[in-house]
């Protein structure tokens, strides 16, 4: 029985050591986050059932014991005795007597515990192999450690960015209600990021937060316009602008500013000075009611200074520039953009890059954007679009259109980046990579006055069709798909399919 | 009816016989043991050895120790079957009439020494077949029973093969054992020389009878054999068959054909007698291993490769035993 226990123990040790060795060997081949604890756990978890199984299976039967005893020099006496145990014949009886006599005469020293030498040798061999493996450098582990370090760095970067975001929201001087909402969005984002496992999940959460912040930004811009508009409405000189600002229409504000400028141009002498002073006062008052970070507030303050200088007969040109800056600030606010949240927006982009594992601590890089412009009316206009780039850098889109009025551009950008999470050597086909050196490209337009077709110069460009690293576009494609799903009203059932598809690519 | 006393007496009796033979025979203990085992088991023995190694002396000693009629037939190419079996001769009775009367040949003895058996023609050799297997001889259309116990001890010379007639396989199979008589050691040689210088050469005395031998045979028959031992014997015999699924690797390589079922019978019976001889009440694997060569070496036929490379039957049997042990059968 003791011998069976020793054999079972040795077999269990072998099994455990083999399991540990397999885990260790596998860690050299497979990209596992190997820890010697795993090998120990694997060994221990096989050792226990192997020992139990060994004790059950190796428990010696009568015949095994007989054979074992016979091997000590009894010359099959014990086995024969067992075979003839039910035989009462004279031979069987005498054979039993002979076997028992031989057993009695068997020296006790020969009944020693026999060690399972093979199993013990195997145990030692496996243990030696395990020890040897600990000295074999594991390339996988280095890569994994590096990746973990990178992940930890990214997580730290995320935390820092989230802290910075909170600071920037504090500094933005938003209305209490908006600030509260923005912080709530951040809290929610922080929790979601902690729960998210993959970069794509993180990106999705960041996108959601960006959308929410975008809504808040629009609200903040609207509020700024309303507050400033109300303040201006009190003034006779700027009442029209104030009303337009309160209504929030970009065209209305533009028109009100043009009218204001025309009116000023039509005035002379004392009347002009008085009007300029009145306008400066109104602007100052309106700017005072806005947050320090407000671009409208800054533009109004600058315009007020310029107006005052002009009223004192100095710096006439600055008034025009001031109006232009105010027009631009109002246009941005009408478009839902608040300068107070510029930093927040930028930090959110940094956070996105960190989450995608593509960004470093710097936000510089290359970006490319596409833009579309739309124009209405006659003449030539230019629309500007914004693009968002994935990866390192931000994209810019520029739209050009023919017509008059305002052009609105929408841009989406694809930025080049490098990431560790997604294998950068896996390339996919990118149909249109703009940029780089090449011949000047022209887009033919309508025939001009001289009959020659007008040409729009695109600058040095070439369409580079080819393969680009998968990691550079993965994040932006996921994001584009997600936005498209939100925008296009993709059926509920298909959303999961698309989500799964992109998840499978990561 | 075998009694407990018979069983208990077996070992002592056999040891006494052996000791008595030892008085006339110097060395050759294995040969003496083999011959005794075969005699007890009722088998015939083929002794192979160069002349002068004491083969004839052993047979004579056996006859004296058992107090059994002994005859010797010197096989020569011109020896006829009738010279062995006997023949019908015309005799005149008291009334003057003539009638055939059977004149028994030298085979009508309990212990027959067939000296240089391979020198006789196959016809004469085959005259021994019936006697060896059935213990009867047929002459003039009449079968006659040979005296019991009946034991043929044949010898053959491994050298001087010219003008000999190798024994047919069927006859070889009738021999329980084929024993190779080795040349004595220098010490034994000295003893042999000294023994032959004595005035009275024969010192062994009768210590057993033919009935004792038959009783011992009955005793040996009843010795228990464990399943494992039985399986080992059968597996070994099966392993000698090169074309069988059970055939061993060495058999496939070096043998032309394997041993007959008589070999398995001989192995088991021989093992039983040997067990008793060793003071055991059961046959053991050790007995099978000890007797394997003696039982099998004349029952297997080497193939051309074995003959040309000098592989002996004993080497093949040894390899088969190792194979069996490796499989856990032996």
């Amino acid at each position: 029985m003791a011998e069976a226990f020793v054999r079972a123990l040795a077999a269990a040790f072998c099994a455990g050591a083999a399991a540990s060795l397999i885990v260790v060997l596998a860690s050299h081949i497979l990209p596992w986050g190997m820890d010697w604890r795993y090998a120990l756990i694997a060994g221990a978890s096989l050792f226990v059932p192997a020992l139990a199984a060994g004790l059950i299976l190796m428990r010696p039967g009568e015949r095994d014991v007989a054979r074992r005893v016979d091997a000590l020099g009894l010359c099959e006496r014990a086995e024969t005795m067992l075979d003839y145990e039910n035989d009462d014949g004279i031979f069987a009886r005498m054979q039993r007597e002979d076997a028992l006599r031989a057993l009695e005469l068997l020296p006790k020293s020969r009944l020693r515990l026999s060690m399972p030498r093979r199993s013990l040798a195997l145990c030692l061999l496996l243990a030696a192999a395990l020890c040897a493996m600990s000295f074999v450098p594991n390339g996988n582990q280095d890569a994994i450690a590096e990746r973990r370090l990178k992940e930890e760095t990214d997580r730290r970067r995320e935390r820092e960015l989230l802290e910075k975001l909170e600071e920037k929201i504090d500094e933005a001087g938003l209305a209490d209600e908006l600030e509260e909402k923005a912080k709530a969005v951040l809290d929610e984002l922080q929790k979601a990021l902690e729960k998210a496992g993959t970069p794509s999940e993180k990106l999705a959460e960041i996108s959601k937060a960006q959308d929410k912040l975008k809504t808040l930004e629009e609200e903040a811009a609207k509020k700024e316009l309303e507050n400033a508009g109300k303040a201006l409405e009190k003034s006779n000189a700027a009442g029209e602008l104030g009303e337009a600002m309160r209504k929030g229409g970009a065209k209305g504000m533009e028109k009100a500013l043009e009218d204001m400028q025309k009116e000023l141009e039509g005035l002379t002498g004392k009347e002009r000075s008085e009007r300029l002073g009145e306008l400066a006062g109104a602007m100052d008052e309106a700017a005072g009611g806005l947050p320090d970070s407000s671009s409208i507030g800054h533009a109004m303050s600058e315009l007020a200074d310029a107006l005052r200088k002009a009223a004192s007969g100095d710096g006439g040109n600055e008034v025009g520039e001031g109006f232009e800056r105010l027009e631009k600030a109002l246009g941005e606010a009408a478009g839902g953009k608040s300068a107070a949240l510029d930093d927040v927006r930028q930090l959110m982009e940094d956070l996105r890059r960190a989450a995608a594992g593509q960004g470093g601590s710097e936000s510089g890089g290359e970006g490319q954007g596409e833009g579309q412009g739309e124009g209405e009316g006659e003449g030539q206009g230019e629309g500007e679009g914004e693009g968002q780039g994935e990866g390192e850098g931000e994209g810019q889109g520029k739209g050009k259109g023919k017509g008059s009025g305002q052009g609105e551009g929408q841009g989406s950008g694809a930025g080049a980046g490098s990431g560790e999470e997604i294998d950068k050597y896996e390339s996919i086909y990118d149909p249109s990579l703009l940029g780089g050196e090449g011949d000047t490209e022209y887009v033919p337009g309508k025939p001009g006055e001289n009959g020659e077709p007008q040409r729009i110069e695109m600058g040095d460009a070439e369409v580079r069709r080819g393969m680009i690293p998968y990691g550079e576009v993965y994040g932006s494609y996921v994001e584009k798909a997600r936005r498209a799903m939100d925008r296009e009203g993709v059926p509920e059932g298909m959303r999961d399919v698309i989500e799964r598809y992109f998840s499978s690519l990561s | 009816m075998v009694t407990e006393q018979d069983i208990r007496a077996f070992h002592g009796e056999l040891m006494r016989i052996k000791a008595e033979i030892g008085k006339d025979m110097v060395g050759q203990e294995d040969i003496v043991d083999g011959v005794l085992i075969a005699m007890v088991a009722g088998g015939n023995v083929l002794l192979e050895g160069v002349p002068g190694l004491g083969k004839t002396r052993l047979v004579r000693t056996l006859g004296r120790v058992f107090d059994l009629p002994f005859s010797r037939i010197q096989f020569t190419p011109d020896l006829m079957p009738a010279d062995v079996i006997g023949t019908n001769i015309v005799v005149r009775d008291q009334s003057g009439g003539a009638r055939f009367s059977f004149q028994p040949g030298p085979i009508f003895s309990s212990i027959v020494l067939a000296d240089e058996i391979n020198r006789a023609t196959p016809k004469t050799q085959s005259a021994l077949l019936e006697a060896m297997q059935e213990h009867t001889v047929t002459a003039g259309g009449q079968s006659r029973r040979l005296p019991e116990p009946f034991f043929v001890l044949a010898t053959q010379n491994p050298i001087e093969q010219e003008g000999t007639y190798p024994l047919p396989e069927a006859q070889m199979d009738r021999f329980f054992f084929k024993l190779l008589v080795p040349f004595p050691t220098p010490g034994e040689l000295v003893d042999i020389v000294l023994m032959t210088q004595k005035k009275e050469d024969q010192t062994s005395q009768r210590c057993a009878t033919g009935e004792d031998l038959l009783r011992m045979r009955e005793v040996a028959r009843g010795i228990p054999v464990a399943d494992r031992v039985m399986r080992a014997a059968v597996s070994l015999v099966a392993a000698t068959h090169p074309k069988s699924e059970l055939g061993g690797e060495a058999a496939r390589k070096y043998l032309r054909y394997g041993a007959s079922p008589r070999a398995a019978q001989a192995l088991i019976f021989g093992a039983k007698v040997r067990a008793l001889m060793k003071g055991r009440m059961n046959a053991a694997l050790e007995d099978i291993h000890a007797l394997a060569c003696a039982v099998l070496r004349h029952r297997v036929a080497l193939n051309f490769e074995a003959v040309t490379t000098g592989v002996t039957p004993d080497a093949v049997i040894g390899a088969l035993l190792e194979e069996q042990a490796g499989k856990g059968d032996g």
Side-chain angles (χ1 to χ4, degrees):
Chain A
M1 212 45 208
E3 202 171 296
F5 177 75
V6 172
R7 282 171 59 203
L9 200 65
F13 266 122
C14 285
S20 299
L21 191 63
I22 287 167
V23 170
V24 173
L25 285 173
S27 75
H28 280 255
I29 300 162
L30 302 170
W32 285 356
M34 171 60 189
D35 191 316
W36 278 91
R37 273 177 306 178
Y38 297 154
L40 201 66
I41 290 166
S45 53
L46 204 65
F47 173 80
V48 175
L51 181 62
L55 286 174
I56 294 165
L57 297 174
M58 292 178 183
R59 190 171 54 191
E62 243 179 8
R63 205 154 282 279
D64 298 317
V65 174
R67 189 177 280 208
R68 176 83 177 81
V69 172
D70 283 341
L72 298 173
L74 259 66
C75 296
E76 286 74 46
R77 280 183 172 94
E79 273 193 88
T80 311
M81 185 169 67
L82 278 181
D83 284 347
Y84 286 81
E85 63 183 340
N86 298 321
D87 190 336
D88 291 329
I90 188 169
F91 287 102
R93 185 165 51 77
M94 288 184 72
Q95 197 278 327
R96 278 196 286 275
E97 285 170 13
D98 177 49
L100 291 172
R101 196 165 45 247
L103 268 172
E104 281 170 14
L105 293 172
L106 190 70
K108 296 285 180 285
S109 58
R110 297 199 69 184
L111 291 168
R112 277 182 307 186
L113 195 67
S114 161
M115 299 304 281
R117 287 181 192 164
R118 275 189 208 168
S119 301
L120 289 176
L122 189 61
C123 271
L124 286 174
L125 196 71
L126 289 168
L130 268 174
C131 289
M133 285 306 293
S134 66
F135 293 105
V136 177
N138 190 338
N140 272 342
Q141 296 313 303
D142 296 343
I144 287 163
E146 205 174 305
R147 196 183 72 199
R148 280 183 179 166
L149 187 67
K150 174 82 174 58
E151 283 171 1
E152 185 53 41
T153 311
D154 288 344
R155 272 198 293 274
R156 201 167 51 241
R157 171 96 182 123
E158 278 173 21
R159 281 197 297 274
E160 284 170 9
L161 286 171
L162 285 168
E163 282 166 17
K164 270 189 193 171
L165 272 168
E166 202 166 343
E167 283 171 22
K168 291 293 174 190
I169 286 169
D170 285 338
E171 289 168 9
L174 296 172
D176 290 348
E177 190 190 351
L178 283 176
E179 190 175 317
E180 225 170 82
K181 282 183 183 175
K183 285 186 175 175
V185 169
L186 278 189
D187 283 345
E188 202 180 319
L189 176 62
Q190 193 166 359
K191 285 172 190 165
L193 287 179
E194 281 167 11
K195 281 183 189 171
T198 60
S200 60
E201 283 172 1
K202 285 184 178 181
L203 283 172
E205 293 302 332
I206 292 167
S207 293
K208 281 183 201 167
Q210 277 181 316
D211 290 345
K212 287 176 187 171
L213 286 174
K214 177 78 183 160
T215 311
L216 290 177
E217 190 181 1
E218 284 167 4
E219 261 182 67
K222 196 177 168 189
K223 201 86 180 169
E224 277 179 36
L225 284 173
E226 266 180 21
N227 291 343
K230 278 178 189 171
L232 288 177
E233 270 184 316
K234 291 173 193 168
S235 158
N236 288 334
E240 192 190 345
L241 178 62
E243 193 183 344
M245 285 170 70
R246 196 167 48 75
K247 286 178 181 171
K251 286 176 186 169
M253 288 187 283
E254 199 178 330
K255 188 172 179 301
L257 280 172
E258 272 177 24
D259 291 348
M260 199 182 284
Q261 282 177 284
K262 279 179 189 168
E263 194 183 349
L264 282 173
E265 283 167 7
L267 294 175
T268 53
K270 191 182 174 187
E271 198 181 2
R272 176 177 158 82
S273 298
E274 282 174 4
R275 178 56 63 89
L276 286 171
E278 194 183 340
L279 272 175
M283 290 294 168
D284 272 339
E285 194 185 338
L290 295 174
D292 294 343
S293 56
S294 168
S295 59
I296 300 172
H298 287 153
M300 281 182 162
S301 298
E302 283 171 12
L303 181 58
D305 290 344
L307 289 169
R308 262 191 291 275
K309 280 184 187 173
S312 60
D314 193 16
N317 289 341
E318 287 178 20
V319 173
E321 287 171 10
F323 271 110
E324 275 179 27
R325 275 198 290 273
L326 181 58
E327 189 183 333
K328 192 180 173 189
L330 290 174
E332 284 177 359
K337 197 171 176 183
S338 169
L341 289 170
D342 274 353
D343 290 341
V344 173
R345 208 182 305 120
Q346 185 56 49
L347 284 170
M348 284 301 285
E349 281 306 316
D350 288 350
L351 184 62
R352 166 182 292 281
R353 282 192 289 276
Q358 296 175 347
S361 58
E362 299 302 322
S363 59
E366 286 183 345
Q368 294 196 346
E370 301 168 7
Q372 285 184 333
E374 286 180 1
E376 284 182 4
E378 291 179 3
Q380 213 162 4
E382 190 170 300
E384 282 191 359
E386 291 176 356
Q388 289 184 331
E390 286 292 331
E392 291 183 11
E394 61 183 297
Q396 280 191 336
K398 199 167 185 180
K400 287 189 178 178
K402 199 174 177 203
S404 68
Q406 279 187 309
E408 286 183 358
Q410 285 187 329
S412 64
S418 64
E420 295 294 326
E421 181 67 23
I422 300 160
D423 190 350
K424 61 184 174 188
Y425 297 109
E426 274 185 47
S427 296
I428 58 168
Y429 178 68
D430 185 14
S432 57
L433 276 172
L434 286 170
E437 293 178 0
D439 296 334
T440 304
E441 293 282 328
Y442 297 96
V443 177
K446 287 180 181 173
E449 287 176 5
N450 57 2
E452 287 291 313
Q454 288 181 333
R455 300 195 306 177
I456 299 167
E457 194 175 304
M458 295 291 288
D460 290 346
E462 62 173 338
V463 177
R464 292 180 300 163
R465 295 175 192 280
M467 308 301 282
I468 59 164
Y470 174 83
E472 286 182 14
V473 292
Y474 170 72
S476 66
Y477 282 14
V478 172
E479 188 50 29
K480 277 181 186 175
R482 211 182 299 284
R483 284 180 190 278
M485 280 198 295
D486 292 340
R487 193 172 59 240
E488 303 293 340
V490 175
E492 234 5 85
M494 291 308 291
R495 292 178 78 92
D496 287 347
V497 175
I498 296 166
E499 288 275 359
R500 275 202 302 276
Y501 169 72
F502 279 100
S503 300
S504 71
L505 295 178
S506 65
Chain B
M1 178 70 182
V2 176
T3 64
E4 193 174 329
Q5 198 177 352
D6 294 337
I7 299 168
R8 291 194 194 285
F10 186 102
H11 179 67
E13 263 181 276
L14 209 58
M15 287 302 106
R16 212 163 42 247
I17 293 165
K18 207 177 149 186
E20 211 56 43
I21 293 170
K23 289 178 184 173
D24 279 353
M25 288 290 297
V26 177
Q28 310 288 17
E29 279 192 29
D30 288 345
I31 301 299
V32 173
D33 283 353
V35 170
L36 281 176
I37 290 169
M39 280 186 79
V40 174
N44 308 293
V45 174
L46 176 63
L47 292 173
E48 187 174 281
V50 292
L53 295 181
K55 298 187 289 284
T56 311
R57 189 183 182 88
L58 172 63
V59 178
R60 270 214 317 271
T61 307
L62 283 172
R64 200 162 46 247
V65 168
F66 282 100
D67 192 21
L68 291 170
F70 156 75
S71 64
R72 172 184 171 168
I73 309 165
Q74 183 64 47
F75 279 56
T76 55
D78 58 352
L79 188 76
M80 298 304 287
D83 298 333
V84 176
I85 294 167
T87 189
N88 286 313
I89 56 170
V90 180
V91 291
R92 294 208 175 270
D93 55 18
Q94 290 173 347
S95 58
R99 62 177 179 84
F100 279 106
S101 170
F102 181 71
Q103 187 64 37
I107 197 122
F108 283 84
S109 284
S110 285
I111 299 175
V112 177
L113 172 63
D115 214 1
E116 295 195 89
I117 191 170
N118 57 339
R119 294 211 173 273
T121 59
K123 186 178 178 181
T124 310
Q125 287 172 0
S126 64
L128 275 174
L129 266 179
E130 187 187 352
M132 286 167 70
Q133 186 62 36
E134 311 296 334
H135 291 198
T136 59
V137 289
T138 305
Q142 191 180 349
S143 284
R144 290 178 171 79
R145 187 138 205 97
L146 294 170
E148 286 294 344
F150 176 76
F151 175 63
V152 174
L153 207 151
T155 70
Q156 65 177 16
N157 189 347
I159 56 171
E160 295 175 3
Q161 295 295 307
E162 207 169 321
T164 62
Y165 301 91
L167 289 169
E169 280 79 17
Q171 192 162 353
M172 288 291 256
D173 197 26
R174 261 71 176 179
F175 285 106
F176 195 83
F177 287 160
K178 177 183 177 183
L179 302 172
L180 305 181
V181 186
F183 194 80
T185 60
E188 288 170 352
L189 204 55
V190 170
D191 290 343
I192 291 168
V193 173
L194 288 175
M195 184 180 280
T196 50
Q197 299 306 307
K198 290 178 189 171
K199 197 175 179 182
E200 184 53 56
D201 190 23
Q202 297 172 354
T203 56
S204 57
Q205 301 295 317
R206 170 183 172 267
C207 65
T209 61
E211 285 75 35
D212 292 336
L213 193 62
L214 293 173
R215 196 179 62 253
M216 286 166 83
R217 189 175 299 169
E218 281 309 302
V219 170
R221 244 185 252 282
I223 291 298
V225 184
D227 282 348
R228 193 153 79 95
V229 178
M230 184 72 80
R231 278 201 307 274
V234 171
S235 297
L236 180 62
V237 172
T240 61
H241 290 262
K243 287 175 186 169
S244 157
E245 282 182 12
L246 303 169
E249 200 59 42
R252 288 201 183 98
K253 196 170 179 189
Y254 295 117
L255 296 184
R256 208 152 32 89
Y257 63 80
S260 70
R262 280 198 189 96
Q265 291 172 325
L267 262 180
I268 292 298
F269 205 177
K272 287 179 173 183
V273 179
R274 188 177 183 275
L276 280 168
M277 189 184 259
K278 299 286 174 187
R280 253 184 289 117
M281 283 299 296
N282 62 286
L285 290 173
E286 175 194 301
D287 302 318
I288 302 291
H289 293 172
L291 302 178
C293 286
V295 170
L296 297 170
R297 62 165 67 104
H298 56 294
R299 288 183 162 102
V300 296
L302 296 174
N303 62 16
F304 179 74
E305 187 184 346
V307 174
T308 52
T309 54
V311 174
T312 61
D314 285 14
V316 177
I317 294 160
L320 291 175
L321 281 171
E322 279 179 22
E323 281 179 33
Q324 298 294 309
K327 288 179 192 170
D329 287 347

